[in-house]
Amino acid sequence: MQPDQNPELLRIENLHAWYGESHILHGLNLTLREGEVITLLGRNGSGRTTTLKAILGLVSKRTGSIKIHGTEIINMPTHRIAHVGKLGYCPEERGIFASLNVDENLELPPVVAKGGLSVDEIYSMFPNLKERRKSQGSKLSGGEQQMLAIARILRTGATLLLLDEITEGLAPVILKSLGNVIRKLRERGFTIILVEQNFRFAAPLADRHYVIEHGQVVEQIDAADLEAKKEQLNRHLSV
Amino acid sequence: DLSDDKVKIGVLSDMSGVYKSLEGPGAVIAAKMAIEDFGGSVMGKPIEVISADHQNKPDIGASTAREWIDAKEVDMITALDNSSVALSVQGLAKDKKIITMNTGAGSTALTEEQCSPYGIHYVYDTHALPVGTATAMVKNGGKKWFFITADYAFGHSLRDNTGAVVESMGGEVVGNVNAPLSTNDFSSYLLQAQSSGADVIGLANAGQDTVNAIKQANQFRIVQSGQKLAGMLVFLTDVHSMGLDIAQGLQFTTAFVWNQNDETKAWSNRFNERHGAMPTMVQAGVYSAVTNYLNAVKETGTDDTDTVRAKLGEMTLNDMFVKGGKIAPNGSMLHDMYLVEVKKPSESKGEWDLLNVISKIPADQAYISMADTKCSLVN
Amino acid sequence: MTNRILFILMLIAGLTAPFFAYPVFVMDLLCFALFACAFNLLLGYAGLLSFGHAAFFGGAAYITGYVTKEWGFSPLLGILAGTGFTMVLGSIFGFLAIRRQGIYFAMVTLALAQIIYFLALQMPFTGGENGLQGIPRGELFGFIDLNNSLAMYYFVFAIFLIGFGIIYRTIYSPFGVVLEAIRENESRALSLGYDVDHFKLLAFIISATIAGLAGATKAIVFQFAALTNAHWQTSGEVILMTLVGGLGTVFGPVVGAITVGALSHELSAFGSWVQVILGTIFVVCVMVFRRGIVGEIQRLTTRKQD
Amino acid sequence: MTDHAREPAAILKTHGLTKDFKGFTAIKDINLSVQTGSIHALIGPNGAGKTTFFNLLTKFLTPTSGKIIYDGRDITHAKPAGIAQHGLVRSFQISAVFPHLTSRENVRIALQRKLHVSYHFWRPLQILDQLNEKAQATLEQVGLGKFGDVKAVELPYGQKRALEIATTIALEPKLMLLDEPTQGMSAEDVSTVTDLIKRVVEGRTIVMVEHNLNVVSTLADQITVLNRGEILAEGNYDEVSKNPEVMEAYMGTTDAA
Amino acid sequence: MSMQVILAQALLGLNVGVFYAMLSLGLAVIFGLLNIINFAHGAMYMLGAFIALIGYSFLEQWFGVSVQIGFWASLILVPLLVGLLGVLIERLLLRRLYNLDHIYGLLLTFGITLILQGLFSNYFNVSGTPYPGQPESLSGVVDLGFMYFPTYRLFAIVFSLVVCFATWFFIEHTKLGSRLRAGVENPDLTQAFGLNVPLMITLTFAFGAGLAGLAGVLAAPIYSVSPLMGADLIIVVFAVVVIGGMGSIMGAILSGLALGLIEGLTKVFYPPAASTVIFFLMVLVLLFRPAGLFGKEK
Ligand SMILES: Nc1ncnc2c1ncn2[C@@H]1O[C@H](COP(=O)(O)OP(=O)(O)OP(=O)(O)O)[C@@H](O)[C@H]1O
Ligand SMILES: Nc1ncnc2c1ncn2[C@@H]1O[C@H](COP(=O)(O)OP(=O)(O)OP(=O)(O)O)[C@@H](O)[C@H]1O
Ligand SMILES: [Mg+2]
Ligand SMILES: [Mg+2]
């Protein structure tokens, strides 16, 4: 596949976002084609999570333009965005519903498009979860919660996935299989935005990396140029 | 001479609860009518009325009365249609030396154990009520009684006095259940009464409580199953709100029947115009009490409590409400009572034509005699 | 600093009040103010919403009334007896309720208070619906006649100051600091080795005791102990007072009690409209003035300083 | 097993510790001993039971069976507040500070306990001022010397973490239990915290749960690998990381890392 | 005491119990799903009864329209109207309190209760006004052998039971329940998944309020309609919900029924304790099963 020929899926222009009084994103620009996998890199607090939340309308105020498949969503209420953008979101800190059991968590997000994975397929992908189907969300181990958080958006048929720090708290062995899952999704034509702290995990998966600092994209590096720009990247990511 | 250059009368009544329709705002109207009929002033000084809601709570009643006396120059307090409230206000007024002319409360404790030199009990008491009603019912074969009692001073007093009458006539009290004031579902109590095998279910309560109990007894077909209901304290407004279908045949004791003679009719019609309902005995009683209080002030030329109270004790009360009434040393206003029966719907000639007078109960039978009283002021 | 100024203002207002207003009414306000302060200690500083504080307020009134009327205790001794009783009662309630969190805590306190209400209604010595009437005011120290309304007033004001002082001290004490920490992050306080339940229990007992002190005093002032004081609506009223004045502020409950008390008194001629107005104030406070009167003033003044 | 040989130096030991959750055994018969003065790391795949084990040690859960011996006493049935008073203190996965208190006040809360005035509701606040000096020293130890008057909420993430550690060491714990102390931190914060732990460990023992192998390898003297509620391997980093079972169950490879 | 008496009293207890059940159900739905303690629930119940009363007796007198809304029409209309008020309260007020402590919701609804109670107390006697609109078809009595039981009360029992169990089924056996719980726990995320959480919450609140209104209409012909009818009930209903286990739908229904029965029997054996027995039970339950009889431990 040649993602760079594919039609444009997401275009963000001059995005500003606020939490209450505090202005977090300062004119962020970003475009994404169907089938691409990109990462958002940056230090703690640089605004990566906020970018995802702003796409979903989960900030108190946002301005600028966000188009998915050409539809402007900047003024759309949150609950419609997932349907319009065929979008699935895996939040930072997992967002497992403590009062629901594993099955209920899995079946909670409504289907937004055809072609999602079936529950059985999902359980075969994450066998640990299958064992704990009737456990309450709050009783899962950290890693189990993380897996469930990813699993549940695969059911909805979303083709644009926003994944925030999905590797956090996972053992290396799970990281590996998670890497494989992402690779498979990519082959199936999913479009993915990864927010990652764990660059070693993300680097081999992505087509392009965006470096965010103070709510703006300060660097954009294609996978191919990664070696060449390693220096630059390190400068941005550590002091 | 008058303290503060005016006479101020306080009407402390239940303005929002179970007893609202039997005294409440109507009592204020009656007091105002009394003042108007008196001429609006006494010895050239204005007469004022002040009123408040005691919410059937003795503490609220007492603290309102306290403020009236301490800070608002009230000279006499009337209405007090709840025995707990009346007892607390009368107790306070005794300390503060203020006359209370209670028209609404029934407990005999007001003139017996807790009698006060300044407390006058004006319209009826729980001794007078059963004398007529219970006597008549026991005579007609209602030997075994079961009481449903309002759980406070008045209910207890009414139950005890009625029980004593029943037993003195050879009857028997087979059971009792106390229901909180302002109960809206009497069904459980009624069924208990039903299963007790009593001939008569005595309702030692008043106002809305009585109405609810009688209506629900009707729903559960209690009377049809052979038991009789005895409303120990029933007011005109209660009969009116139950309707004759349900209430017909009910016998009870009252101090006043509005359409008894031309004088009562004339006054009652005037009252009805202003209030929208015919007067109950206690509303008529407020009119009479205020009138006679003002008479006493006028005749003695002062509002000094002891003087006025002494004068009231000497007077013979005669007005549209009472004929030949006397205020005894224990505070009890001795006057005749009437045993009445609710008309059949076919007999009634109008919205308020509800009662037939069966017999008169002379004052000396109705009220505790000064020989028997436990009031410390007398013996 | 601001506290000191407010305290002096309160002192002046309290000392002169009986010359401007009906003393019994001011005494009533003082009793409620103290009650609200006690409640505020629990909710505002320990984060515990008790929906059963009327049990202490009302319970103390009955005990005080009984011992002064029937056993001839002096008013001071009577108040001490009532207060001591609520200290015990508070320990029992606290012991039962403290292990529950949040809304469960509110419910347990409410249930326990309903039981006290039931006892107040049924026990022979309380007089049931009639209430315990004719409590003597008696003489303070054997020679000051409390039937004199000024003497009574200053006695009540002194009690108020003592109760207020205890609460003030508690808030600004090493104990108060730990309470604050518990409210901020309970499990962390636990892991630092603080036995959280014990702290909450102590706060509860102090609060209950002072609430009892207020109720006991009220019984002497009005010479009456009644069911109203033990009814759950009184528990609701004290929440309203605290909220209106400012939850978690030292002087808020005092201001709140005075505001609410004065309003209900002034508006009592309007019958049930009082309830409507109080309800509206409640709603407005919750919606827009969550800090209450004192809280809002504090915010404005600190803002100016910034 | 050499457990018995090491016994005298062990500050914490568990005997046959087991935890069932309604039919699911999260911790099975664990015998662990932690040497005084060491940093002991607990690693293992997700769901292995690390957090559960940790919660058992800190009394947030009660064991189904087995015993926990700390500093020579049986604490199996002790209460959370009780063990803290004996020097066993945990820190939390999510940062645990008192957000609306200043850094100094946060530390003072911990120091205050030793004064034994915490129930004294009749004493003025000023008696706590004697702790200020010590609080300042503790703050400086973790690099927060300048932030004494800053409210905890206003501190950036890494400093919150540092404050939490400061509060913990203010208790002068003998044994500290840290649950994923570097989770969710960027590289720079990770190294700050690692340094901090190294600095404060002197004279204490630390047990930590950690996924970041870099951290584990730099800090841990001793590692226990849990898998499905059981101990899979124990030893220092080199021993453990070469253990084929560990490699398979945890690293997910069969080749050496 | 004969078996018949006990049976009769038990039936009356059940009669009270269905009202407890219906009210605590509404409360449990609102609490369990939205985490709000709706103190105004009693006021909604009172409001339901009053709307039915006004619709039947006062439209002409007050508004000059000569229509009379009968009982059956009220049974449908009133829950809708009360539900609508629920919508307004939720949209305009409660919505702004979700991210605050629970107690603010409790306090707000407490205030609303005072307002509603006060308003009606101005126009109606606090001790009650009878509702005359009981349908003719239900006005007789049924001879149960051991007693005569008013047909209407029997109808109220059956009708309420049907409503309760239907609600339970709807919430527990459709996806709705889990979505609502999720929406309350983390509204942002639930919306991000594409669920219209604000609408769900509003409707749930309205539904709970509507249930209370419905109970009010059902109660009107039995009890007299009074501004305070909800005030004392609500405290008992709180206790029922707590005993049943906060948030447990089935718990609310079953403990409502059971407590009605217990209260009914207490009225026979020790009447003074009838109004308090529930609180004793509540203390006991909380001591031994803190999460309530049917609640799940958190
Ligand atoms: N709910 C909020 N209210 C106010 N400020 C917030 C909120 N959430 C985040 N911020 C602030 O916004 C900034 C950007 O946060 P964001 O979560 O987007 O960072 P990030 O790049 O995802 O970093 P992290 O590694 O911490 O997740 C930070 O300074 C943070 O403190
Ligand atoms: N309260 C509980 N009830 C039921 N099962 C539980 C409970 N707590 C944990 N478990 C289960 O016990 C197992 C061990 O969980 P634990 O949280 O200890 O794992 P962990 O090793 O910390 O994993 P992670 O690294 O993913 O956080 C998991 O399968 C989890 O689902
Ligand atoms: Mg982030
Ligand atoms: Mg874990």
Side-chain angles (χ1 to χ4, degrees):
Chain A
M1 256 205 283
Q2 290 245 279
D4 49 339
Q5 305 298 314
N6 287 355
E8 194 173 283
L9 195 154
L10 174 71
R11 170 177 287 274
I12 298 176
E13 283 172 348
N14 193 25
L15 180 64
H16 289 256
W18 287 262
Y19 291 115
E21 308 257 288
S22 44
H23 190 172
I24 307 293
L25 299 187
H26 302 264
L28 184 126
N29 298 303
L30 187 156
T31 43
L32 184 60
R33 293 175 183 283
E34 276 179 28
E36 279 186 329
V37 175
I38 62 161
T39 66
L40 304 184
L41 305 174
R43 296 187 194 147
N44 286 124
S46 56
R48 297 161 304 152
T49 298
T50 308
T51 308
L52 300 190
K53 287 193 173 176
I55 294 173
L56 288 161
L58 295 176
V59 291
S60 38
K61 185 179 154 199
R62 52 183 180 156
T63 62
S65 159
I66 305 172
K67 287 190 176 134
I68 302 187
H69 297 297
T71 313
E72 180 59 68
I73 61 161
I74 194 91
N75 288 321
M76 210 174 258
T78 300
H79 62 90
R80 291 196 46 215
I81 294 174
H83 295 276
V84 169
K86 298 197 181 56
L87 183 153
Y89 174 50
C90 178
E92 176 172 64
E93 275 146 18
R94 299 143 191 167
I96 295 303
F97 295 98
S99 56
L100 308 187
N101 67 25
V102 171
D103 271 343
E104 286 171 323
N105 263 292
L106 197 57
E107 299 196 9
L108 176 78
V111 169
V112 295
K114 284 201 196 85
L117 276 64
S118 72
V119 173
D120 288 341
E121 276 177 282
I122 288 174
Y123 278 137
S124 65
M125 203 182 263
F126 300 99
N128 299 28
L129 289 181
K130 192 169 182 181
E131 280 174 38
R132 315 216 47 85
R133 285 179 83 142
K134 296 292 167 212
S135 293
Q136 241 182 304
S138 57
K139 308 244 160 113
L140 297 178
S141 83
E144 289 163 345
Q145 294 189 1
Q146 188 65 69
M147 291 181 250
L148 180 55
I150 300 165
R152 70 180 165 192
I153 52 170
L154 300 180
R155 221 194 88 256
T156 64
T159 48
L160 170 57
L161 306 184
L162 312 183
L163 308 178
D164 197 350
E165 311 265 12
I166 52 171
T167 60
E168 206 174 288
L170 294 185
V173 59
I174 309 272
L175 277 189
K176 285 207 173 119
S177 61
L178 193 60
N180 291 334
V181 170
I182 303 277
R183 229 164 264 131
K184 261 189 223 147
L185 295 175
R186 190 191 149 120
E187 279 158 26
R188 284 186 175 214
F190 280 82
T191 314
I192 299 174
I193 302 181
L194 277 174
V195 168
E196 263 309 325
Q197 206 68 259
N198 187 339
F199 183 63
R200 270 206 291 175
F201 171 82
L205 298 172
D207 295 305
R208 200 161 54 254
H209 305 278
Y210 287 90
V211 179
I212 296 183
E213 224 162 68
H214 299 300
Q216 276 173 325
V217 173
V218 293
E219 195 87 46
Q220 178 180 338
I221 307 172
D222 282 338
D225 307 335
L226 195 58
E227 273 312 307
K229 297 201 174 172
K230 199 119 199 186
E231 275 292 292
Q232 242 162 309
L233 193 60
N234 277 339
R235 196 154 27 83
H236 284 300
L237 295 187
S238 57
V239 205
Chain B
D1 48 48
L2 297 178
S3 60
D4 335 301
D5 274 344
K6 66 184 169 225
V7 172
K8 202 165 192 178
I9 289 164
V11 180
L12 188 53
S13 183
D14 175 5
M15 301 288 181
S16 56
V18 258
Y19 303 145
K20 176 184 177 184
S21 54
L22 63 93
E23 189 146 55
V28 182
I29 290 173
K32 285 187 177 150
M33 284 171 73
I35 293 166
E36 284 162 26
D37 293 354
F38 193 81
S41 64
V42 58
M43 298 179 297
K45 301 289 159 59
I47 309 167
E48 286 176 20
V49 176
I50 183 172
S51 67
D53 184 3
H54 59 53
Q55 301 170 35
N56 290 310
K57 292 185 183 135
D59 51 326
I60 295 187
S63 60
T64 308
R66 184 188 287 274
E67 189 175 353
W68 278 359
I69 297 167
D70 285 349
K72 299 207 167 146
E73 298 118 19
V74 164
D75 300 298
M76 188 274 270
I77 298 175
T78 186
L80 301 171
D81 42 27
N82 174 308
S83 293
S84 298
V85 174
L87 284 167
S88 73
V89 172
Q90 181 172 298
L92 178 85
K94 180 175 161 188
D95 291 347
K96 302 261 176 188
K97 282 193 155 202
I98 288 286
I99 291 180
T100 54
M101 296 180 88
N102 142 51
T103 52
S107 172
T108 44
L110 287 160
T111 51
E112 294 287 293
E113 297 85 347
Q114 303 188 42
C115 67
S116 145
Y118 310 115
I120 294 170
H121 197 165
Y122 207 80
V123 177
Y124 72 97
D125 67 24
T126 54
H127 183 270
L129 294 172
V131 170
T133 319
T135 308
M137 296 201 75
V138 179
K139 269 189 194 150
N140 288 331
K143 297 265 183 219
K144 289 199 264 175
W145 285 57
F146 184 102
F147 287 105
I148 295 177
T149 305
D151 195 7
Y152 74 106
F154 156 75
H156 298 176
S157 165
L158 184 53
R159 176 198 58 208
D160 295 345
N161 288 330
T162 310
V165 172
V166 169
E167 277 162 7
S168 74
M169 307 265 313
E172 185 193 351
V173 176
V174 297
N176 170 63
V177 60
N178 292 340
L181 180 63
S182 207
T183 291
N184 60 25
D185 187 7
F186 281 92
S187 55
S188 171
Y189 307 119
L190 287 165
L191 289 190
Q192 285 178 50
Q194 188 175 36
S195 59
S196 71
D199 305 318
V200 178
I201 301 173
L203 301 175
N205 52 17
Q208 192 72 41
D209 280 349
T210 310
V211 173
N212 281 341
I214 293 177
K215 278 188 174 172
Q216 282 161 7
N218 186 56
Q219 282 173 13
F220 282 86
R221 298 288 192 270
I222 292 200
V223 177
Q224 288 86 336
S225 316
Q227 281 171 311
K228 286 207 181 83
L229 288 175
M232 298 316 301
L233 175 55
V234 178
F235 293 90
L236 185 72
T237 42
D238 301 338
V239 176
H240 183 256
S241 84
M242 277 184 271
L244 293 182
D245 278 337
I246 291 176
Q248 59 179 306
L250 192 65
Q251 292 187 353
F252 62 90
T253 302
T254 184
F256 178 78
V257 178
W258 75 269
N259 49 2
Q260 201 174 17
N261 56 47
D262 290 342
E263 195 184 1
T264 56
K265 269 189 209 160
W267 184 82
S268 300
N269 283 323
R270 279 205 292 140
F271 180 85
N272 187 15
E273 262 166 47
R274 293 173 67 158
H275 183 54
M278 282 297 172
T280 60
M281 63 171 165
V282 294
Q283 287 160 343
V286 168
Y287 177 85
S288 172
V290 173
T291 306
N292 286 311
Y293 174 78
L294 294 175
N295 282 335
V297 171
K298 188 171 161 192
E299 282 178 36
T300 54
T302 173
D303 61 359
D304 172 69
T305 303
D306 284 306
T307 320
V308 175
R309 175 63 184 85
K311 180 75 202 168
L312 280 167
E314 291 159 11
M315 288 161 50
T316 299
L317 311 182
N318 272 310
D319 56 24
M320 67 91 198
F321 172 79
V322 53
K323 294 283 177 263
K326 272 284 182 193
I327 297 173
N330 68 348
S332 191
M333 201 275 268
L334 311 172
H335 58 282
D336 300 340
M337 301 288 283
Y338 305 93
L339 180 65
V340 296
E341 186 178 82
V342 177
K343 290 185 173 175
K344 294 197 182 67
S346 57
E347 294 172 323
S348 169
K349 292 195 280 294
E351 187 189 355
W352 292 97
D353 180 24
L354 304 170
L355 307 175
N356 283 324
V357 176
I358 298 180
S359 62
K360 179 153 118 180
I361 306 153
D364 55 349
Q365 281 176 33
Y367 292 93
I368 298 170
S369 73
M370 287 312 106
D372 295 337
T373 182
K374 292 195 214 69
C375 175
S376 54
L377 296 169
V378 179
N379 300 317
Chain C
M1 324 24 6
T2 35
N3 274 353
R4 184 160 301 165
I5 296 167
L6 285 170
F7 185 79
I8 291 168
L9 282 178
M10 186 172 88
L11 208 60
I12 295 170
L15 288 172
T16 53
F19 301 103
F20 304 109
Y22 174 45
V24 176
F25 173 60
V26 185
M27 289 187 254
D28 190 31
L29 292 184
L30 284 174
C31 292
F32 271 104
L34 188 56
F35 183 25
C37 287
F39 175 80
N40 181 45
L41 175 69
L42 201 56
L43 180 58
Y45 292 91
L48 295 169
L49 172 62
S50 159
F51 222 112
H53 253 45
F56 307 122
F57 192 62
Y62 278 113
I63 299 298
T64 302
Y66 188 76
V67 298
T68 46
K69 186 176 168 185
E70 303 295 331
W71 296 352
F73 276 33
S74 75
L76 196 58
L77 219 54
I79 289 175
L80 284 178
T83 312
F85 165 76
T86 46
M87 191 187 286
V88 176
L89 190 66
S91 316
I92 299 170
F93 272 35
F95 174 76
L96 292 172
I98 225 76
R99 287 174 289 171
R100 308 282 165 255
Q101 310 270 314
I103 204 63
Y104 275 89
F105 179 83
M107 291 297 163
V108 180
T109 48
L110 175 61
L112 291 168
Q114 284 300 106
I115 292 172
I116 297 297
Y117 182 81
F118 162 74
L119 292 176
L121 189 61
Q122 297 298 335
M123 302 247 288
F125 85 91
T126 61
E129 296 263 5
N130 304 341
L132 191 62
Q133 309 185 355
I135 299 168
R137 278 189 180 175
E139 290 177 340
L140 187 59
F141 311 124
F143 65 92
I144 303 172
D145 182 7
L146 291 180
N147 287 307
N148 175 317
S149 75
L150 274 188
M152 185 72 215
Y153 177 83
Y154 287 109
F155 176 50
V156 172
F157 188 56
I159 289 178
F160 169 80
L161 287 180
I162 292 169
F164 183 84
I166 293 174
I167 288 172
Y168 186 89
R169 176 47 57 250
T170 306
I171 291 169
Y172 296 104
S173 73
F175 173 72
V177 173
V178 178
L179 276 189
E180 191 178 355
I182 291 173
R183 202 173 35 135
E184 291 256 300
N185 190 340
E186 181 165 339
S187 51
R188 179 59 174 163
L190 194 62
S191 75
L192 290 182
Y194 288 109
D195 203 328
V196 169
D197 284 354
H198 288 179
F199 283 87
K200 288 183 180 170
L201 180 60
L202 181 55
F204 192 91
I205 296 173
I206 297 173
S207 171
T209 308
I210 305 290
L213 177 63
T217 310
K218 188 169 184 245
I220 299 286
V221 172
F222 284 95
Q223 306 180 266
F224 214 118
L227 285 175
T228 329
N229 294 332
H231 196 263
W232 63 264
Q233 279 183 341
T234 302
S235 299
E237 247 166 62
V238 76
I239 303 178
L240 174 63
M241 291 173 176
T242 313
L243 194 70
V244 167
L247 195 61
T249 61
V250 181
F251 291 91
V254 179
V255 175
I258 293 173
T259 313
V260 174
L263 263 177
S264 350
H265 188 255
E266 289 308 309
L267 298 173
S268 62
F270 294 95
S272 307
W273 287 109
V274 182
Q275 261 196 47
V276 180
I277 292 166
L278 290 183
T280 311
I281 293 174
F282 224 126
V283 170
V284 170
C285 277
V286 172
M287 295 309 298
V288 284
F289 295 115
R290 229 158 281 142
R291 292 184 182 82
I293 298 172
V294 173
E296 289 293 340
I297 292 173
Q298 273 178 4
R299 189 178 59 110
L300 287 179
T301 50
T302 49
R303 216 189 231 177
K304 248 180 218 152
Q305 282 165 14
D306 284 353
Chain D
M1 282 282 125
T2 51
D3 269 14
H4 293 284
R6 286 205 292 258
E7 208 155 8
I11 185 164
L12 182 77
K13 279 196 301 183
T14 69
H15 293 295
L17 203 60
T18 301
K19 177 73 191 174
D20 286 323
F21 292 113
K22 295 196 184 115
F24 176 82
T25 310
I27 290 291
K28 275 176 229 156
D29 194 23
I30 299 254
N31 297 305
L32 181 96
S33 81
V34 176
Q35 265 179 283
T36 310
S38 68
I39 299 186
H40 194 125
L42 217 51
I43 63 171
N46 297 108
K50 302 179 295 289
T51 303
T52 306
F53 185 66
F54 209 77
N55 282 337
L56 291 172
L57 294 184
T58 51
K59 314 318 301 164
F60 278 65
L61 287 173
T62 37
T64 314
S65 63
K67 261 204 285 188
I68 306 170
I69 310 289
Y70 162 72
D71 206 12
R73 75 186 96 206
D74 185 343
I75 58 158
T76 318
H77 300 288
K79 288 199 281 176
I83 57 162
Q85 284 158 16
H86 290 120
L88 197 167
V89 184
R90 86 174 284 181
S91 83
F92 285 81
Q93 211 156 347
I94 31 144
S95 72
V97 290
F98 302 111
H100 297 286
L101 303 185
T102 64
S103 303
R104 179 171 305 112
E105 286 167 338
N106 263 277
V107 175
R108 264 183 17 178
I109 294 277
L111 292 171
Q112 182 185 335
R113 230 194 54 218
K114 291 255 161 63
L115 284 183
H116 298 291
V117 293
S118 296
Y119 288 109
H120 293 190
F121 61 85
W122 58 90
R123 302 281 279 269
L125 209 49
Q126 284 71 16
I127 63 161
L128 296 181
D129 288 345
Q130 53 182 295
L131 300 172
N132 285 351
E133 221 169 287
K134 188 112 182 268
Q136 186 60 26
T138 314
L139 285 173
E140 265 156 29
Q141 207 180 342
V142 299
L144 289 177
K146 287 203 215 77
F147 299 95
D149 293 318
V150 179
K151 281 197 177 160
V153 257
E154 289 159 14
L155 292 175
Y157 191 78
Q159 293 187 345
K160 260 186 214 152
R161 207 72 217 204
L163 176 59
E164 196 204 323
I165 291 173
T167 316
T168 307
I169 58 177
L171 292 176
E172 299 179 359
K174 289 191 215 153
L175 175 58
M176 286 168 71
L177 301 167
L178 310 178
D179 195 359
E180 305 204 27
T182 65
Q183 193 191 46
M185 287 188 183
S186 66
E188 48 171 326
D189 284 340
V190 170
S191 61
T192 326
V193 170
T194 318
D195 287 348
L196 203 60
I197 293 176
K198 258 193 214 150
R199 230 183 305 150
V200 303
V201 71
E202 273 164 65
R204 315 179 207 283
T205 313
I206 291 181
V207 176
M208 60 194 266
V209 172
E210 183 58 72
H211 276 297
N212 188 327
L213 284 181
N214 276 333
V215 177
V216 173
S217 65
T218 42
L219 283 179
D221 304 312
Q222 181 75 5
I223 297 170
T224 298
V225 187
L226 285 184
N227 189 26
R228 299 185 160 269
E230 291 173 299
I231 296 183
L232 186 67
E234 275 188 295
N236 61 28
Y237 185 76
D238 287 338
E239 289 162 20
V240 165
S241 62
K242 295 210 175 68
N243 181 324
E245 278 182 285
V246 175
M247 284 196 287
E248 189 183 336
Y250 185 61
M251 319 278 193
T253 58
T254 38
D255 1 301
Chain E
M1 199 151 305
S2 78
M3 204 51 222
Q4 295 191 347
V5 178
I6 294 183
L7 219 58
Q9 295 289 351
L11 201 57
L12 284 176
L14 190 65
N15 191 198
V16 176
V18 292
F19 286 104
Y20 286 167
M22 198 134 78
L23 284 171
S24 48
L25 174 63
L27 206 62
V29 167
I30 293 177
F31 178 79
L33 300 176
L34 310 185
N35 253 331
I36 297 163
I37 295 137
N38 182 19
F39 206 101
H41 207 69
M44 307 276 178
Y45 164 75
M46 176 268 288
L47 191 64
F50 267 108
I51 297 178
L53 174 70
I54 293 169
Y56 193 84
S57 312
F58 292 93
L59 282 186
E60 176 145 23
Q61 187 185 330
W62 285 14
F63 305 104
V65 280
S66 51
V67 262
Q68 192 178 45
I69 297 169
F71 175 78
W72 299 112
S74 290
L75 213 49
I76 295 168
L77 273 180
V78 171
L80 292 179
L81 284 174
V82 178
L84 192 68
L85 178 76
V87 169
L88 292 179
I89 291 176
E90 201 279 334
R91 278 273 146 124
L92 300 179
L93 303 172
L94 274 175
R95 173 152 297 185
R96 289 152 217 243
L97 301 178
Y98 287 144
N99 44 8
L100 301 172
D101 196 312
H102 275 10
I103 65 165
Y104 285 104
L106 178 73
L107 298 179
L108 175 81
T109 48
F110 186 70
I112 293 174
T113 306
L114 290 183
I115 296 177
L116 287 174
Q117 261 175 32
L119 277 179
F120 281 93
S121 303
N122 279 316
Y123 300 104
F124 292 92
N125 192 328
V126 289
S127 67
T129 314
Y131 174 76
Q134 173 176 325
E136 214 35 55
S137 53
L138 297 176
S139 64
V141 285
V142 181
D143 187 353
L144 297 177
F146 56 93
M147 73 181 297
Y148 290 110
F149 204 73
T151 316
Y152 180 81
R153 287 189 186 233
L154 222 46
F155 161 78
I157 293 177
V158 175
F159 184 86
S160 319
L161 287 178
V162 170
V163 170
C164 286
F165 287 101
T167 306
W168 167 75
F169 181 82
F170 193 56
I171 290 180
E172 297 286 322
H173 289 264
T174 61
K175 241 189 206 175
L176 193 78
S178 63
R179 290 191 167 173
L180 280 169
R181 269 177 283 153
V184 171
E185 198 181 314
N186 189 341
D188 278 359
L189 182 58
T190 312
Q191 291 194 76
F193 287 148
L195 293 168
N196 191 346
V197 175
L199 184 68
M200 283 174 1
I201 290 183
T202 308
L203 291 181
T204 306
F205 190 82
F207 179 78
L211 266 182
L214 181 64
V217 183
L218 274 182
I222 301 183
Y223 310 117
S224 42
V225 180
S226 122
L228 299 183
M229 65 194 284
D232 293 323
L233 205 55
I234 188 67
I235 300 291
V236 176
V237 170
F238 274 152
V240 172
V241 175
V242 172
I243 291 172
M246 286 221 173
S248 163
I249 305 290
M250 194 42 112
I253 299 176
L254 294 183
S255 52
L257 296 175
L259 291 169
L261 280 177
I262 292 172
E263 190 188 300
L265 294 176
T266 314
K267 271 192 189 147
V268 184
F269 295 109
Y270 186 49
S275 56
T276 316
V277 64
I278 290 182
F279 296 100
F280 275 109
L281 286 175
M282 175 168 147
V283 171
L284 284 182
V285 167
L286 283 172
L287 284 178
F288 297 105
R289 281 198 58 112
L293 295 179
F294 297 83
K296 291 183 200 124
E297 295 262 2
K298 280 253 168 83

